[in-house]
C-alpha cells in the first residue's frame, strides 16, 4: 500500500499487509465466449447476477456504436446467444444493465 500526502492507495490487485494478501478485484459480472471469434459460431454472453439482482438486460453494440441486441436475463447466471452470421469484423461492446444502471461491461472481437 502506498502512502502519499496522508492518503492510502492500493492497486486493483491488492496489497500485501503484514504478509496477508488483500484483493480489491471486483467480480466479473459479464463475459463473452469465444473471444476473439472467427465468426463461424455464436458468441455466448454470460451474465453473473449478484444477490438481489433479479433481472438484468444485456446490450450489444457494433463497432460503429449501434445497438444490435437487447436481451433480458432473469437467472443468477444468464446466457445470451448472439449469432455472428452477417456481423462484420470488428470490436463489439457489451453492457450489463440492472435497473437501468451499468453494472458490468466487456468487449469481444470478430476476426474473419
Amino acid at each position: 500500500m502506498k502512502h502519499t500526502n496522508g492518503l492510502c492507495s492500493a492497486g486493483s490487485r491488492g496489497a500485501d499487509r503484514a504478509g496477508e494478501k488483500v484483493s480489491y478485484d471486483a467480480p466479473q459480472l459479464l463475459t463473452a465466449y469465444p473471444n476473439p471469434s472467427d465468426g463461424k459460431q455464436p458468441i455466448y454472453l454470460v451474465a453473473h447476477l449478484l444477490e438481489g439482482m433479479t433481472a438484468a438486460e444485456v446490450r450489444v453494440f457494433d463497432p460503429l456504436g449501434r445497438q444490435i441486441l437487447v436481451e433480458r436475463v432473469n437467472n443468477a447466471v444468464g446466457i445470451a446467444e448472439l449469432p455472428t452470421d452477417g456481423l462484420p469484423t470488428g470490436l463489439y461492446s457489451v453492457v450489463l444493465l440492472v435497473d437501468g444502471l451499468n453494472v458490468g461491461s466487456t468487449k469481444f472481437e470478430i476476426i474473419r
Side-chain angles (χ1 to χ4, degrees), residues 4 30 59 80:
T4 330
L30 184 62
R59 293 184 182 186

Side-chain angles (χ1 to χ4, degrees), residues 59-69 91-95:
R59 293 184 182 186
V60 180
F61 299 89
D62 72 8
L64 298 175
R66 297 176 297 206
Q67 185 173 290
I68 60 170
L69 175 77
L91 187 62
Y92 292 75
S93 299
V94 187
V95 295

Side-chain angles (χ1 to χ4, degrees), residues 18-109:
E20 171 187 346
K21 185 71 175 173
V22 179
S23 178
Y24 298 101
D25 290 336
Q28 185 68 29
L29 299 179
L30 184 62
T31 52
Y33 299 101
N35 191 13
S37 169
D38 60 8
K40 295 179 182 174
Q41 69 277 346
I43 296 285
Y44 295 96
L45 305 167
V46 182
H48 298 273
L49 303 184
L50 300 176
E51 188 175 332
M53 293 180 179
T54 55
E57 193 173 83
V58 174
R59 293 184 182 186
V60 180
F61 299 89
D62 72 8
L64 298 175
R66 297 176 297 206
Q67 185 173 290
I68 60 170
L69 175 77
V70 176
E71 182 136 351
R72 303 258 327 145
V73 178
N74 295 314
N75 300 326
V77 177
I79 300 174
E81 183 177 321
L82 174 64
T84 56
D85 300 350
L87 292 180
T89 296
L91 187 62
Y92 292 75
S93 299
V94 187
V95 295
L96 177 64
L97 300 171
V98 175
D99 294 329
L101 298 173
N102 182 345
V103 297
S105 63
T106 192
K107 294 183 180 193
F108 66 87
E109 187 171 18

Side-chain angles (χ1 to χ4, degrees), residues 5-28:
N5 297 333
L7 300 174
C8 269
S9 65
S12 65
R13 285 280 181 216
D16 229 354
R17 227 179 3 183
E20 171 187 346
K21 185 71 175 173
V22 179
S23 178
Y24 298 101
D25 290 336
Q28 185 68 29

